[in-house]
Amino acid sequence: MLKDKIERPGYLLIAVLGLIAPMVFPAYVQQIAMLWIMIVFALTWDAMGGQMGYNSLGNIFFFGAGMYMAAVAQIWPWYDVGEYTDPAGALKTSFTIGQYFTGLALGIVMAAVGSVILAVLFGLIVFGLRGPYFAIGTLGIAIAAGELIGAWDWVGGGGGIRLPVFPSGTDADPLFRVPFGAITSADLQGIFFYWACFLLAAATFFFFRWLYTTRFGLMLNAIRDDETKSEALGIRTTLYKTIAWSMSAFFLGISGALFGNIIGFIEPLEVAFPTVTFGIFMVLMALLGGKGTLWGPVIGATLFHVIKEVTWTHLLGWQWVVLGLLIVLTVVFFQQGIVGWIQERRPEWFGIGVDRGTAGQQADAAGKIAR
């Protein structure tokens, strides 16, 4: 069964990696934190594109919207946002530890709730579209959002916003040593946001794992298989589509809030709404692992992130060629993804029983009829 062959080892591997990674590899904490965000990307996209059959190219919109909403929420209680983002830099700012963490908590909540509200509002528009028209419509929303934010001076415009500085200090003396390095006070920001990203990825995974076992999950699959027949059977497809998109937006908004604070600076086109990078990556990761499956996005995101980091480090200048080839190979030759490929060859791992005798008899009967 899948539970024995994949799920239990998978849970153990992820738990061990999540717990020991900051201590064993302190120099790569930010890169591993990005892995958890990539897993969130793949899982949230698959809820739409894999489980429901609506291939969105604009899910990155909620990532960027959450990032900006969190930034404003972190600044607004203590400083005027317009003065804070003034490129002249006349306003001198200083956040206490209490102000920083209060603002961060408020920002995460605002990013999650605000993204859900935006998903409902835009769902009223885009869910009148189907197929490629839906994909292009969602892509248009993400691109337009980046351009509009870039022209909005109150939030920094194209110049972006600097986020409040994490109160960890800059001391390079080791607080304690670990197998492959040492943890200093300057590393506390990376460790804090690492754990935040890990918990977000775990919450996203287990939420969708539960969701797909409910009646709601069956409704999503029914929409994917035949939306017209689903509507004829009385399923309120627009409601289910809107709720599913809102669930994805919830987690994407939080990931945007965390990512903005990890890098400490956000701007509209390359950081908040990167449609040609993160927007495409989330689709590719789900396809690579196997869309429409629970573990497929996790496996695809992990493999993709490792390939991306290796190529960015050792094949600088050729990294886009490698990623382009990966996209072509996945789409043309490997459409079922890794989990789909395993499922074809080991269906018993997934609880799929095949009666070989009956199947053979039916094949023989079909052959006789054909002759």
Side-chain angles (χ1 to χ4, degrees):
M1 294 294 289
L2 177 63
K3 185 176 182 180
D4 298 324
K5 297 289 186 179
I6 296 179
E7 283 197 344
R8 290 179 180 174
Y11 293 147
L12 179 61
L13 178 63
I14 291 175
V16 171
L17 175 62
L19 291 173
I20 71 171
M23 304 304 169
V24 178
F25 305 107
Y28 299 96
V29 166
Q30 183 168 327
Q31 288 84 346
I32 303 175
M34 278 304 302
L35 168 61
W36 304 128
I37 290 181
M38 289 293 177
I39 290 175
V40 173
F41 281 173
L43 286 169
T44 51
W45 185 88
D46 191 67
M48 294 287 297
Q51 299 292 334
M52 199 174 69
Y54 268 71
N55 299 315
S56 170
L57 295 179
N59 274 15
I60 198 67
F61 166 73
F62 303 112
F63 175 75
M67 196 181 300
Y68 268 95
M69 284 187 285
V72 170
Q74 289 179 250
I75 298 165
W76 175 75
W78 295 280
Y79 297 98
D80 180 85
V81 177
E83 294 181 4
Y84 183 93
T85 58
D86 188 346
L91 181 65
K92 303 300 181 182
T93 61
S94 178
F95 294 85
T96 66
I97 295 177
Q99 288 175 337
Y100 179 85
F101 285 105
T102 300
L104 178 62
L106 180 61
I108 291 174
V109 172
M110 288 295 295
V113 175
S115 296
V116 170
I117 294 173
L118 290 173
V120 173
L121 293 176
F122 284 107
L124 298 175
I125 302 172
V126 297
F127 283 127
L129 306 173
R130 296 187 184 182
Y133 301 102
F134 174 80
I136 297 301
T138 54
L139 176 62
I141 290 175
I143 294 175
E147 297 296 334
L148 290 173
I149 294 295
W152 191 4
D153 292 336
W154 186 72
V155 292
I161 306 177
R162 69 186 190 282
L163 274 296
V165 178
F166 186 88
S168 62
T170 58
D171 189 0
D173 293 333
L175 296 175
F176 54 91
R177 297 190 178 278
V178 293
F180 293 95
I183 303 297
T184 69
S185 61
D187 298 322
L188 293 180
Q189 176 182 4
I191 294 174
F192 174 83
F193 284 107
Y194 168 87
W195 283 110
C197 293
F198 175 68
L199 292 175
L200 174 64
T204 305
F205 176 85
F206 285 108
F207 173 79
F208 283 115
R209 181 181 184 274
W210 164 80
L211 184 71
Y212 298 153
T213 62
T214 65
R215 183 176 181 274
F216 188 94
L218 295 176
M219 296 302 103
L220 296 185
N221 295 158
I223 293 171
R224 176 191 63 194
D225 294 340
D226 196 317
E227 185 171 355
T228 302
K229 290 181 179 178
S230 298
E231 291 176 344
L233 291 172
I235 298 175
R236 301 171 63 182
T237 58
T238 301
L239 175 63
Y240 283 103
K241 290 185 292 185
T242 303
I243 294 175
W245 211 28
S246 300
M247 292 173 178
S248 296
F250 178 87
F251 294 107
L252 284 171
I254 297 176
S255 69
L258 296 178
F259 182 78
N261 280 276
I262 288 174
I263 63 175
F265 178 82
I266 61 176
E267 61 86 37
L269 298 180
E270 298 296 327
V271 178
F273 302 98
T275 53
V276 297
T277 52
F278 286 176
I280 300 300
F281 291 172
M282 62 176 64
V283 181
L284 176 59
M285 291 184 293
L287 294 179
L288 179 62
K291 71 174 186 176
T293 64
L294 178 64
W295 280 96
V298 177
I299 296 172
T302 303
L303 180 60
F304 175 82
H305 187 63
V306 170
I307 293 173
K308 180 173 71 68
E309 290 297 319
V310 170
T311 55
W312 249 252
T313 302
H314 301 289
L315 296 174
L316 193 60
W318 290 87
Q319 69 273 22
W320 291 111
V321 176
V322 174
L323 292 180
L325 289 174
L326 181 62
I327 293 173
V328 172
L329 291 174
T330 300
V331 173
V332 176
F333 301 106
F334 208 56
Q335 295 181 5
Q336 76 272 43
I338 295 172
V339 174
W341 181 85
I342 296 174
Q343 187 174 8
E344 287 181 356
R345 285 153 181 78
R346 293 291 184 271
E348 64 275 9
W349 291 4
F350 297 80
I352 301 173
V354 179
D355 189 341
R356 303 293 182 183
T358 303
Q361 293 173 5
Q362 292 176 347
D364 292 340
K368 292 178 181 179
I369 293 174
R371 291 193 294 269

